[in-house]
Amino acid sequence: MAAVLSSADALSADSGSSFRLTLSGIFGTISIACWVVLLVPQLVDQWKLKSSAGVSLLFLLVWFLGDIANLIGAVWAGLLPKVVALAVWFCFADAIELSSAIYYRFFYHPPAKNGPSDFESAGGLLAVSSDDDATDDIPLDDLAEESPSGAHSSVWKEYVLPILGVIIIGIIGYFFTNSPTDSSDDSSEEPDSSLSVGPQILGYLSALLYLTARIPQIIQNHRKKSVHGLSLLFFMFSTAGNVTYAAQILLFSSDSRYILLNLSWLLGSLGTVFQDAVIFAQFYIYREKEHGAGVIRLEDELPSRDEA
């Protein structure tokens, strides 16, 4: 009887382990899907506004350096090709976003604006007014968006659907790239417990850069009392990617040495989630103020060459 119970317990443990590995893999592919599309919303916003005034160049630069350290560490440690390929993609996407931001900040010269109509067409803004008549210049489109049905429809289309779409793509991607016969080999992908000191140092350096990158953005938002030109969906993808990435690591193995070896990546991912929460709060506070004013002022939109 004892032997039967022991076999049943072993079967249950194997089943539980297999489920955890599957769940870890699903979270991993969702995280990859989030990273692939991460910068697209910010790039689109900059293209529409023809301005990068909303994003801090120092934020992008420090983040880029963090991804470079991550790439060097992944290559040095001899990690899986897909991990290295993703690290390469991070750096490529960062370079595109940073180049776009620098172009609009320093090299793009918008055509001369003769009045509010030109300003609207060039920057996607709605009106420019003085303090005395700000409430009289609220466009009809803004008033329409204030209705509950319009607001809910906009939130669903701009935020909920893209997030759900990326999650679904990540789940489908997992089952397309992992056959049932491969599940028994998942444990072979666990990082070597003898990971050298060099990659670990680069991992912690990368985590430190990730943790400090958002600080300039938070400070800029606070000083300007505005998040205009900053993509909310960009930070939503970032949060989703970091949370699922951390879940992938924690579900893969609960071994203390494994957790310790991945601690730098856990700190870098989960630490930025708390900073993203601050930025989400700024979106709520400052967008409420901007919407209450009913207008974006010209001096708030034109890029400042000394801001980074």
Side-chain angles (χ1 to χ4, degrees), residues 67-271:
D67 281 337
I68 291 176
N70 178 60
L71 172 59
I72 296 174
V75 173
W76 191 348
L79 299 184
L80 295 171
K82 63 182 180 181
V83 176
V84 176
L86 188 60
V88 171
W89 168 254
F90 289 163
C91 294
F92 175 72
D94 291 348
I96 293 177
E97 167 58 25
L98 188 57
S99 299
S100 171
I102 291 174
Y103 168 72
Y104 284 118
R105 186 69 57 89
F106 299 107
F107 298 101
Y108 177 76
H109 301 291
K113 301 178 178 64
N114 298 322
S117 58
D118 290 340
F119 187 63
E120 292 170 17
S121 62
L125 301 181
L126 300 174
V128 178
S129 68
S130 64
D131 290 337
D132 295 335
D133 58 359
T135 56
D136 297 332
D137 290 335
I138 300 177
L140 294 177
D141 290 343
D142 272 5
L143 293 176
E145 289 182 358
E146 285 186 5
S147 64
S149 59
H152 292 161
S153 174
S154 178
V155 168
W156 176 263
K157 180 176 65 175
E158 294 181 15
Y159 306 115
V160 178
L161 283 180
I163 292 293
L164 288 177
V166 168
I167 291 174
I168 292 172
I169 290 173
I171 294 173
I172 294 174
Y174 171 80
F175 289 104
F176 265 95
T177 56
N178 293 271
S179 63
T181 56
D182 294 334
S183 59
S184 59
D185 299 329
D186 286 345
S187 58
S188 64
E189 294 189 357
E190 185 170 345
D192 188 357
S193 60
S194 61
L195 195 60
S196 59
V197 175
Q200 284 291 299
I201 293 175
L202 285 170
Y204 280 101
L205 174 61
S206 177
L208 178 63
L209 291 168
Y210 289 147
L211 289 172
T212 56
R214 283 163 172 74
I215 296 176
Q217 186 65 59
I218 293 172
I219 293 174
Q220 175 176 305
N221 295 344
H222 174 71
R223 287 177 176 173
K224 296 174 66 175
K225 298 295 187 292
S226 171
V227 290
H228 182 67
L230 201 60
S231 171
L232 176 60
L233 188 58
F234 161 56
F235 288 97
M236 293 175 72
F237 279 144
S238 175
T239 298
N242 279 316
V243 169
T244 51
Y245 178 76
Q248 174 194 19
I249 293 176
L250 294 173
L251 286 169
F252 189 86
S253 174
S254 57
D255 180 70
S256 59
R257 181 166 180 79
Y258 171 74
I259 298 297
L260 181 62
L261 289 172
N262 287 275
L263 184 59
S264 62
W265 286 273
L266 285 171
L267 290 174
S269 58
L270 293 179

Side-chain angles (χ1 to χ4, degrees), residues 34-45:
C34 290
W35 298 133
V36 168
V37 300
L38 175 66
L39 288 168
V40 173
Q42 185 61 44
L43 284 168
V44 170
D45 278 6

